[in-house]
Amino acid sequence: MSKILIIEDEKNLARFVELELQHENYETAVELNGRKGLERALNEDFDAILLDLMLPDLNGLEIARRVRQVKKTPIIIMTARDSVIDRVSGLDHGADDYIVKPFAIEELLARLRAVLRRVKMEEDNNTGALSKQKIVKYDDLTIETANRIVHRGDEAIDLTKREYNLLMTLIENKGNVVTRDQLLNQIWGPNSKIETNVVEVYVRYLRNKIDQPGRPSYIKTVRGTGYMMREEQSEAK
Ligand code: CA
């Protein structure tokens, strides 16, 4: 039975979600306070966390960030704020998905099933063929897949999980254009309602980290379609 932590200070909403989850045979825990919620998230093992953003004592973004530093527990943000910046910021703090209040409970349940399925799939097959290789080389980038460390030449580049997955997806498909929709499916999961402009934001983050000033980006934008890795420039095959 999956165990879900609900961190939400609106008592009625928290109770409502809790009852609905229990009805679907989830085990639940509720915290109404940000700091207590964080403690609970860190000290117990949950299969997923439903997280409000505006909370007493400690806000949801900070909770997401701190949980993500030490745990992979999937996080779905429940937010009343609906702007691309808020969404990107939530996702960038480590959340896996978000849902905008007021929401239909069916939608929340569907999102929850999706993140739980995704985690299970990741555990089952640990992504594509490249991750079975220990070292992946692309041009002057060297990627150690076991610990997700990326080097450009001698320089270590620190990528978030999503940036890493984005890079690996593009490299796996080198020579081909990967559409924004394909990237969304691959990295955020097939049922995510995230908009494709979030992909653009992440491509920008990734370019900022891996590209060298004065050299063309590793990632080519194919206008109106998507992205692809540019041809390898170095002769060191
Ligand atoms: Ca709140």
Side-chain angles (χ1 to χ4, degrees):
M1 194 181 352
S2 298
K3 202 171 151 193
I4 314 296
L5 175 61
I6 303 157
I7 308 176
E8 166 63 72
D9 65 327
E10 272 171 65
K11 269 192 196 151
N12 290 338
L13 179 59
R15 181 70 184 141
F16 170 66
V17 171
E18 180 180 38
L19 288 174
E20 292 287 342
L21 290 184
Q22 287 173 355
H23 184 69
E24 300 290 318
N25 286 323
Y26 292 101
E27 204 177 310
T28 55
V30 173
E31 289 297 342
L32 305 170
N33 168 287
R35 195 164 299 280
K36 288 208 183 110
L38 175 65
E39 256 169 49
R40 193 95 188 250
L42 294 179
N43 294 332
E44 289 177 42
D45 280 329
F46 291 95
D47 296 292
I49 300 170
L50 303 178
L51 181 61
D52 182 26
L53 283 187
M54 309 286 272
L55 289 161
D57 287 355
L58 194 64
N59 75 58
L61 286 183
E62 188 60 18
I63 295 174
R65 193 181 67 78
R66 293 210 210 161
V67 169
R68 195 51 80 240
Q69 283 174 342
V70 289
K71 286 188 166 188
K72 287 182 175 172
T73 320
I75 298 171
I76 300 176
I77 286 180
M78 305 183 290
T79 174
R81 301 189 297 190
D82 183 19
S83 77
V84 171
I85 291 298
D86 283 333
R87 279 177 244 173
V88 169
S89 146
L91 297 170
D92 209 39
H93 279 71
D96 296 82
D97 202 354
Y98 59 85
I99 187 165
V100 177
K101 293 179 191 173
F103 48 79
I105 193 68
E106 291 76 17
E107 187 182 356
L108 179 66
L109 292 171
R111 298 283 175 98
L112 182 59
R113 284 193 298 270
V115 294
L116 294 173
R117 225 174 13 239
R118 210 178 308 155
V119 168
K120 190 167 181 313
M121 266 169 51
E122 271 177 32
E123 284 169 356
D124 286 354
N125 61 8
N126 235 319
T127 65
L130 276 185
S131 58
K132 296 195 176 72
Q133 281 171 241
K134 279 194 176 138
I135 302 281
V136 173
K137 281 186 175 280
Y138 181 85
D139 211 327
D140 53 355
L141 298 176
T142 307
I143 300 140
E144 296 170 38
T145 58
N147 43 18
R148 298 172 168 242
I149 292 176
V150 178
H151 281 89
R152 184 187 59 220
D154 293 331
E155 190 187 342
I157 302 171
D158 187 25
L159 298 183
T160 65
K161 187 176 154 197
R162 286 215 166 78
E163 291 161 354
Y164 175 88
N165 288 341
L166 181 57
L167 177 62
M168 291 303 275
T169 303
L170 290 170
I171 293 179
E172 292 215 27
N173 293 286
K174 68 180 172 187
N176 299 306
V177 181
V178 187
T179 67
R180 291 178 182 81
D181 284 331
Q182 285 170 333
L183 288 170
L184 270 186
N185 273 338
Q186 188 71 31
I187 294 158
W188 281 271
N191 294 311
S192 123
K193 295 253 167 59
I194 291 163
E195 286 156 31
T196 50
N197 53 3
V198 172
V199 174
E200 285 158 38
V201 172
Y202 273 84
V203 168
R204 193 158 69 231
Y205 290 161
L206 181 58
R207 281 177 171 150
N208 283 341
K209 288 189 179 176
I210 63 175
D211 286 346
Q212 276 177 312
R215 293 191 58 186
S217 175
Y218 290 100
I219 303 166
K220 272 196 336 201
T221 302
V222 183
R223 203 155 292 284
T225 313
Y227 301 95
M228 69 189 290
M229 296 304 282
R230 72 161 153 79
E231 277 176 41
E232 296 181 63
Q233 309 284 304
S234 64
E235 295 305 307
K237 55 141 209 59

